[in-house]
Amino acid sequence: MSGLEIIAVIFSALAVWLTARRHLWCWPVGLVSVLLYARIFLVAKLYSDLLLQLIFAVMQLYGWWQWKRGRRTWMASISSRSACRSRVCWLACWPARWAA
């Protein structure tokens, strides 16, 4: 693994950690992570992965812009309901994983 890849992994882990804590810095840190991976894929000539990273960068910018606009009140109700639903789905699907 190259030094750039290690730095990208660190930025990605930090972005996930900040996102879990709902911290504003998750957006710029995530953007740096995505751009580092875009550079890695460009050098490796993996153009479809590069394109995907650029789409992720646009989504990071959009999320950051939405966060700064202050429309987060509806997210709290959605995230608490969806977290409960995902736990129920995970528990229901867990036995099926071992049956396959």
Side-chain angles (χ1 to χ4, degrees), residues 6 9 15 21 23 26 34 36 43 46-47 51 57 62 64 69 71 74-75 77 89 91 94 97-98:
I6 292 170
V9 168
R21 289 179 178 40
H23 196 282
C26 69
V34 164
L36 288 172
V43 170
L46 298 170
Y47 300 118
L51 179 62
Y62 178 73
W64 193 5
R69 284 182 54 193
R71 295 191 175 195
W74 60 274
M75 258 326 260
S77 64
C89 180
L91 288 173
W94 183 254
R97 178 177 178 215
W98 299 108

Side-chain angles (χ1 to χ4, degrees), residues 33-82:
S33 167
V34 164
L35 293 176
L36 288 172
Y37 278 114
R39 172 72 178 154
I40 291 167
F41 292 138
L42 177 65
V43 170
K45 297 182 181 177
L46 298 170
Y47 300 118
S48 60
D49 288 328
L50 169 65
L51 179 62
L52 185 60
Q53 294 304 312
L54 296 177
I55 292 169
F56 290 157
V58 169
M59 294 286 87
Q60 287 280 350
L61 290 169
Y62 178 73
W64 193 5
W65 175 66
Q66 285 287 21
W67 184 299
K68 290 192 68 103
R69 284 182 54 193
R71 295 191 175 195
R72 292 179 289 166
T73 55
W74 60 274
M75 258 326 260
S77 64
I78 290 173
S79 64
S80 63
R81 281 194 310 243
S82 61

Side-chain angles (χ1 to χ4, degrees), residues 16-38:
V16 169
W17 184 78
L18 289 169
T19 301
R21 289 179 178 40
R22 297 182 183 190
H23 196 282
L24 177 65
W25 277 95
C26 69
W27 300 108
V29 171
L31 183 61
V32 168
S33 167
V34 164
L35 293 176
L36 288 172
Y37 278 114

